[in-house]
Amino acid sequence: MNITNLGTRDYASFYVACELYKQITQHPHSKLGLATGGTMIEVYRFLVELLSRNNIDVSGIETFNLDEYVGLVDNHEESYHYYMNENLFKRYPHFNASLIHLPNGNAERLDEEAQRYEALINQQGPVDIQILGIGENGHIGFNEPGTDINSRTHIVDLTYSTIKANSRYFEDEAEVPKQAISMGLSTIMQAKKIILLAFGEKKSIAIEKLLQTKLDSQFPASILHTHPNVEVYVDDASAQ
Ligand code: GLP
């Protein structure tokens, strides 16, 4: 695992956008694992700029999102469907809709939806690059502390730490969904390359723990130490 402090959020976001851009232009049928959250907003902004400026054909690019809340309608402003549309797919409207995949947090039978999504990734994957943020408690995707390292796409009960951290995006804490559907740790580990980003002081403890923890299911991101191709980019604040 390589950890690099790129100084600012802008530098790091631009760097990662360039990595995605290179993957897309050099391999027009790439499969990308996408993430949401505040961390990724600038990455998508720079990626859209690069794609637009160079008029890049993305019709062969297939995307798989990590996770989605359970029970939010797709056009709810905090759903990850809405986030992806607003931050990427509407801004660069040349992706092939049939190659954009997110788990459906509104499925009637959630366990079946988890199985369907996992099967799809296994059939179409592995992804070439998976981008990841990190929760303050070390979660990746929505894999909370204690998640089995062999987990596949599954339904997750969110911890209070995550509900509290994510309440900053909702009007109040009570509105944050209590469950999510997320790729499992083992699903994420199938990616050929993983890039994790963390910004801001609030992530500094998680980054410190990531450096110190070898493999501990109570700190899910530590599983990344066992992947052969992981790059971590941080800013000054999270590197403290
Ligand atoms: C959220 C998401 C993760 C995200 C992480 C950090 O709960 N499920 O995919 O990486 O927590 O979010 P943020 O970037 O908003 O801090």
Side-chain angles (χ1 to χ4, degrees), residues 36-39 66-67 80 133-135 139 141-142 162 166 168-169 203:
T36 50
T39 308
L66 276 174
D67 49 15
Y80 291 164
I134 184 167
H139 74 220
F142 265 128
T162 298
N166 288 8
R168 69 190 191 277
Y169 300 120
K203 299 289 170 77

Side-chain angles (χ1 to χ4, degrees), residues 115-239:
Q115 280 172 25
R116 179 200 70 81
Y117 198 65
E118 180 66 31
L120 182 75
I121 296 168
N122 290 333
Q123 200 182 6
Q124 305 295 104
V127 300
D128 296 292
I129 299 183
Q130 173 70 59
I131 54 171
L132 288 180
I134 184 167
E136 289 169 33
N137 62 3
H139 74 220
I140 50 176
F142 265 128
N143 292 289
E144 298 284 32
T147 303
D148 186 341
I149 56 169
N150 296 313
S151 53
R152 299 291 179 159
T153 304
H154 58 143
I155 308 303
V156 176
D157 291 328
L158 300 180
T159 60
Y160 180 60
S161 151
T162 298
I163 291 173
K164 198 160 174 275
N166 288 8
S167 66
R168 69 190 191 277
Y169 300 120
F170 291 79
E171 298 231 317
D172 71 79
E173 206 176 284
E175 273 188 35
V176 185
K178 306 289 178 285
Q179 284 190 313
I181 178 167
S182 176
M183 282 189 201
L185 291 173
S186 175
T187 322
I188 293 171
M189 289 291 283
Q190 288 172 337
K192 292 185 195 164
K193 175 176 179 170
I194 295 177
I195 299 178
L196 184 142
L197 274 173
F199 302 136
E201 209 185 321
K202 280 199 170 149
K203 299 289 170 77
S204 60
I205 294 170
I207 291 300
E208 190 180 1
K209 272 201 187 158
L210 178 61
L211 288 170
Q212 289 169 350
T213 314
K214 279 299 155 238
L215 177 59
D216 179 354
S217 67
Q218 289 309 316
F219 193 78
S222 64
I223 195 174
L224 299 176
H225 287 294
T226 66
H227 190 286
N229 193 3
V230 177
E231 293 171 5
V232 178
Y233 296 104
V234 298
D235 64 351
D236 284 333
S238 63

Side-chain angles (χ1 to χ4, degrees), residues 59 69 228:
S59 60
Y69 288 112

